[in-house]
Amino acid sequence: MKEMLIILLSAILVDNFVLKKFLGICPFLGVSKKLDSAFGMSVAVTFVMVLSTAVTYPIYMGLLVPNSLGFLQTIVFILVIAALVQLVEIILKKYVPSLYKALGIYLPLITTNCAVLGVTILNIDSKYTFAQSLVNSLGAGLGFMLAMVLFAGVRSRIEAANIPEAFRGLPITLAAASVVSVAFGGFSGVIEGIFR
């Protein structure tokens, strides 16, 4: 149980996919302008991360590895992720049309979101068990959500601030993202201290 908690907290705070590994930057910068769309996108990405891990891990371990087809990992994982994103898109379009419209082009881009593919591949590369992979994927999704929601708050404050002309728009957004990223660096010592 302790090991699972370490994996979960590390994925959320220490090894945050957006702020440490710099994966999933496109939706991070594109959808984090409003809190509701940032939260909705984060829920969709978390769902796809966990579900794609639940599907790709058994395919890799049960089909690709025994048949010496491990080199097809990336292609198979992308196909599975694309199918799952289509499922999420259909569900959102039918049951939450306002969120579907708010996410716009960024929803289909979950298919090419390197954070989703990254978590499935890193679970295999880290030699996690199936349960550990699911926990890591959940943590990665929750870390993505934390980064998106925090940054949506930061961006709302930036919009209200009086910023020099040269820094308006993308420059101040990237500067703020770097400060938030550096702030997350302090969590590595905290996690190690708690579980010693």
Side-chain angles (χ1 to χ4, degrees):
M1 185 64 186
K2 180 180 175 182
E3 185 180 357
M4 294 293 197
L5 193 57
I6 291 171
I7 291 171
L8 181 69
L9 290 176
S10 292
I12 295 170
L13 299 173
V14 179
D15 295 324
N16 189 290
F17 270 70
V18 177
L19 300 174
K20 173 125 187 240
K21 297 183 188 297
F22 304 112
L23 297 172
I25 296 295
C26 179
F28 176 69
L29 294 175
V31 185
S32 63
K33 291 180 183 177
K34 295 180 183 172
L35 182 61
D36 55 343
S37 58
F39 182 75
M41 174 63 115
S42 301
V43 169
V45 167
T46 302
F47 177 75
V48 171
M49 279 183 173
V50 173
L51 198 56
S52 64
T53 295
V55 174
T56 57
Y57 190 92
I59 289 173
Y60 182 79
M61 292 299 185
L63 185 64
L64 297 180
V65 170
N67 295 309
S68 300
L69 297 172
F71 62 92
L72 294 174
Q73 171 187 16
T74 304
I75 295 169
V76 171
F77 285 13
I78 288 173
L79 291 173
V80 168
I81 291 166
L84 292 174
V85 170
Q86 288 301 310
L87 176 70
V88 168
E89 193 170 356
I90 290 167
I91 291 170
L92 286 179
K93 189 174 185 179
K94 184 170 183 166
Y95 296 108
V96 194
S98 60
L99 180 58
Y100 174 79
K101 288 178 184 173
L103 294 177
I105 187 67
Y106 293 101
L107 185 59
L109 286 178
I110 295 175
T111 301
T112 58
N113 186 340
C114 53
V116 178
L117 179 61
V119 77
T120 58
I121 291 174
L122 286 172
N123 286 333
I124 302 290
D125 290 347
S126 299
K127 305 215 182 315
Y128 285 149
T129 64
F130 181 69
Q132 290 172 333
S133 296
L134 290 176
V135 169
N136 186 53
S137 298
L138 177 63
L142 293 174
F144 184 84
M145 181 183 295
L146 178 64
M148 290 283 284
V149 169
L150 281 175
F151 202 62
V154 168
R155 286 186 82 171
S156 69
R157 296 292 300 255
I158 289 172
E159 295 294 324
N162 185 16
I163 297 169
E165 183 71 33
F167 288 106
R168 288 188 187 149
L170 190 59
I172 193 66
T173 302
L174 292 175
S178 65
V179 170
V180 172
S181 177
V182 169
F184 267 68
F187 286 118
S188 60
V190 172
I191 299 295
E192 289 175 16
I194 290 174
F195 292 106
R196 277 196 181 171

